[in-house]
Amino acid sequence: MQTPVYICEEKLLEKNLKILEYVQNRSGAKIILALKGFAMHSTFDLVGEYLHGCTASGLHEALLSKEFMNKETHTYAPAFKDEEIEEIAKISDTIVFNSPTQFKKYSKIAKTINPNINLSLRVNPECSTVEVALYDPCAINSRLGTTLKNFDESLLDDINGLNFHALCEQNVDALESVLKAFEKNFGKYIDKVSHINFGGGHHITKDGYDVEKLIEVIKEFRSRHKNIEVYLEPGEAIGWECGYLVSTILDIVNNGMDIAILDTSAEAHMPDTLSMPYRAEVRGAGVANEKKYTYKLAGNTCLAGDIMGDYSFAQPLKVGDKVIFEDQIHYTFVKSTTFNGIKLPSLAILRKNGDLEIVKEFGYEEYKSRLS
Ligand SMILES: *Cc1c(COP(=O)(O)O)cnc(C)c1O
């Protein structure tokens, strides 16, 4: 097998989708995929069997939603621009504005282009529960969503929906806090709209997530607010633990310890491991010194900090061995880069029948075509 390659297991993806289907069936909420976290469109026939569509952050994701899923497309951007708004309006079922000024600037054009479009406003419930500021939409001075102070009641005649997105990798207790803040601040507007979108960041498919409680929270909300459609738009929960990144050891050097150089890169192919940061699990490996042979695993770019971390193995590693990073399907290939000219990992799907299908390979072309 050529490496590096991200391998998505269809069986595991479907397991996630079935959990989300259960939430939809029991709670009455609709779930759409946030493309920002997972956009392997060769799986969208399957994803579309379970979910209601996609949430897109701007024109390109909206186009991808339309082309490969063709169910509902909800498009949000912190700010839209003149040259894209008409095309976005044409292909979106819902357009979500970030501020009253953007709403006023573009809602009429959007309605003219697409009379059936839903107009929504993203609000900021100002309830911070995410520990890492980089991922906290309610962090201090956040640009994301309209605060109560900036809410413009003159828009209410035209607004069809309200969105909030305030979570990241969280359980239902965090949703309950945010929902409480949302209803406290914006409760008087809820029954004037037809849908409320609870955003993403719900770690629904992770072991230990309280799915029954989520269903209860949504049902209770829907009983407080009759005839309001509820949406959730997770990204990570769809791609969670449904595949891995396979790499090959190219060389082993020693500088105070053994260092294995891989044909992949933390910086270019697993960027969240450096920015969150978090430590990716490696199949068969433990933490440093837990097993007999400890190595620093490192990437094949010239960035000094392109390092996955220290891992230990029961057997010594050798050049040519495969190293498999677990859970590398969400927020990986949607963010990967050709930094340093490094080859992008191929994309593959392990089908339910056991066939491994390489759905996309990359080369020099992808590097060159982004430069001039
Ligand atoms: C990122 C994002 C999501 C998806 O978040 P996950 O953490 O991947 O579930 C949903 N909605 C909005 C507005 C987002 O920015």
Side-chain angles (χ1 to χ4, degrees), residues 37-65:
F38 175 81
M40 189 183 241
H41 51 72
S42 49
T43 66
F44 282 6
D45 284 348
L46 180 70
V47 176
E49 284 175 30
Y50 293 92
L51 305 188
H52 281 83
C54 300
T55 193
S57 326
L59 177 60
H60 292 173
E61 288 188 356
L63 286 165
L64 200 84
S65 167

Side-chain angles (χ1 to χ4, degrees), residues 34 36-37 55 57 76 122 165 167-169 199-202 233-237 331:
K36 167 164 133 268
T55 193
S57 326
Y76 161 81
R122 175 168 174 177
H165 167 69
L167 304 178
C168 178
E169 297 192 333
H202 318 279
E233 48 176 29
E236 179 154 344
Y331 290 103

Side-chain angles (χ1 to χ4, degrees), residues 248-265:
T248 303
I249 299 174
L250 302 179
D251 195 12
I252 295 172
V253 297
N254 187 289
N255 182 5
M257 68 182 294
D258 288 328
I259 305 157
I261 300 174
L262 308 173
D263 65 352
T264 185
S265 162

